[in-house]
Amino acid sequence: MDKIIYPLNRLKGEIAVPGDKSISHRAVMFGAIAEGDTHITGFLDSADCLSTISCFEKMGIRFEKDLSQKSVIVHGQGLHGLKKPAEILYTGNSGTTTRLISGILAGQNFASVLDGDASIRKRPMRRIMEPLQRMGAAIVSAHGNDCAPLHISPAALHAIAYASPVSSAQVKSCILLAGLYADGRTSVTEKALSRNHTELMLSGFGAQVSSQKTAPGWTASILPASRLNACAVRVPGDISSAAYFIAAALIVPGSEVLIGNVGINPTRSGILKAARDMGAQIEVLNSRTEGGEPACDLLVRASSLHGITIAGDLIPTLIDELPVLAVLAAYADGTTIIRDAAELRVKESDRIASTTQALRQMGVRVTPTEDGMIIEGGAPVHGALVDSCMDHRIAMSMAVCGLAADGETTIRDAECVDISYPSFFSDLSSLTR
Ligand code: S3P
């Protein structure tokens, strides 16, 4: 589906973004291996999270879904209560599902096969296979290319202390989940702290998990568990979805948007820091805790922006927001440099290539680098036909870019927004009326 975006005079009003994708995935997974019923409210009913539910349904977990109410009840069967799936576990487009579930499957007494769509089949799985194999797991890549499909067979798991070469919450979470089934304390050290929803939520489910700053970076540890206890999970709004409205309100002159109930876990809220460093006027209102996670309302006003450097430990805290930050950079005066973000190359698309290509189509001067990009902002941006590369975050970022551009922008394959934000375009129109 092509989606046409017209330039706007201003964006005004209030919006509540859907539930956090990372937290929704985890609530389903941890609920499935806990004992008792986990009640999830604010659940994100996007394609990725539904892939996670479908994998657990294939392993005998029953869900009561009232998706119009964003409510899901997971009837957990305990750490050893999953059933051998009769078919391949299909993870769709979801890296989070594929990598986290691998940690759980490595600890089961049955064999399983994981596979996903064309994008998943290209994404690197060595990063989880290697630590899992060190733990004794029997996990192999069916085509010998370190990508999905993955075959996982039963094996006894040993605790390891793993120094992760990437600061990735998916890698960290996979190992911690396998650690629930291991024979001692398992730890993962990463150089910069990646999102810590797994640590926070597993602790709420009764696991003994801790995280601390260490000399090489951050270390998360977990002890093997005899059980997890079901609990209620209130999912806050996803800051990665809010990011599009933050950016839109900043670049469309005269805008003022209130975004309600946004999760602002410090391991996720790097966009607020980066945008403010660029000159953004963003007010944090009604700070509170929502389901064990910090949340607030955000009031965003159109602002004049200037270029900055985005690099270092900040990168994991805004990794999914870099395409939309590149859009902000296009509308900012001066140069923005994004560095230390080579991980962008292995997301749903190669986001250095896809962002660069899309921005160039709209007249932006942008140079890709090995681990980021350099954007010369402040020049006129014009509408164009842009390729989403079937990547939800590129589609939404470029839609935002089109709102302040000169002329119409057409987003190709715009339906890919369903991966994380099915109501994105209707929510956007609600602010333009
Ligand atoms: C996620 C972690 C991040 C992020 C992804 C969701 C998660 O990936 O890009 O969208 O839920 O753990 P990495 O852990 O690979 O950086």
Side-chain angles (χ1 to χ4, degrees), residues 109-383:
N109 60 6
F110 54 78
S112 50
V113 181
L114 281 173
D115 199 5
D117 68 7
S119 154
I120 276 293
R121 281 182 164 214
K122 283 197 238 143
R123 295 184 66 186
M125 294 297 153
R126 184 82 231 139
R127 53 181 58 200
I128 56 154
M129 290 170 63
E130 201 249 337
L132 287 176
Q133 285 165 350
R134 278 207 213 177
M135 294 178 82
I139 177 167
V140 293
S141 149
H143 301 153
N145 59 355
D146 292 338
C147 294
L150 300 175
H151 288 245
I152 302 172
S153 314
L157 298 185
H158 310 296
I160 57 166
Y162 188 67
S164 180
V166 279
S167 294
S168 156
Q170 294 182 358
V171 171
K172 172 174 63 176
S173 303
C174 170
I175 299 168
L176 293 176
L177 286 165
L180 288 170
Y181 297 91
D183 58 2
R185 177 184 296 274
T186 296
S187 65
V188 189
T189 299
E190 50 186 355
K191 286 193 198 80
L193 182 61
S194 65
R195 65 193 67 192
N196 63 358
H197 306 302
T198 296
E199 297 90 304
L200 293 177
M201 200 189 292
L202 272 180
S203 159
F205 276 79
Q208 286 181 274
V209 56
S210 61
S211 170
Q212 60 201 13
K213 179 100 185 68
T214 48
W218 286 85
T219 302
S221 307
I222 196 159
L223 290 177
S226 54
R227 62 176 282 153
L228 297 180
N229 302 315
C231 62
V233 181
R234 278 207 328 262
V235 182
D238 196 325
I239 191 164
S240 298
S241 299
Y244 305 107
F245 297 106
I246 296 173
L250 289 173
I251 62 174
V252 177
S255 297
E256 185 173 301
V257 174
L258 180 67
I259 313 170
N261 189 29
V262 182
I264 47 163
N265 179 318
T267 63
R268 292 287 301 284
S269 55
I271 181 164
L272 300 182
K273 172 167 177 15
R276 281 177 173 148
D277 287 352
M278 295 175 88
Q281 299 176 65
I282 305 175
E283 271 181 65
V284 169
L285 307 172
N286 306 316
S287 287
R288 55 192 180 267
T289 301
E290 192 66 32
E293 292 271 350
C296 72
D297 305 324
L298 293 173
L299 181 63
V300 188
R301 294 192 182 89
S303 307
S304 38
L305 304 174
H306 54 81
I308 57 167
T309 295
I310 307 173
D313 288 2
L314 192 62
I315 293 292
T317 71
L318 45 64
I319 187 73
D320 291 339
E321 288 66 74
L322 285 168
V324 81
L325 278 163
V327 170
L328 282 188
Y331 287 98
D333 281 336
T335 305
T336 293
I337 300 171
I338 298 172
R339 280 198 268 109
D340 306 323
E343 277 296 295
L344 287 177
R345 297 232 177 248
V346 291
K347 295 293 179 189
E348 286 84 329
S349 66
D350 172 344
R351 286 184 179 157
I352 293 177
S354 48
T355 305
T356 301
Q357 172 186 289
L359 285 175
R360 280 182 173 167
Q361 279 160 338
M362 297 185 69
V364 179
R365 278 179 299 162
V366 47
T367 310
T369 62
E370 232 165 76
D371 66 346
M373 50 198 125
I374 301 167
I375 302 127
E376 309 286 344
V381 179
H382 59 74

Side-chain angles (χ1 to χ4, degrees), residues 18-19 24 42-50 67-68 70 418 422:
S24 297
F43 181 76
L44 171 66
D45 61 332
S46 75
D48 264 12
C49 298
L50 296 176
L67 294 179
S68 64
K70 316 287 180 214
D418 289 353

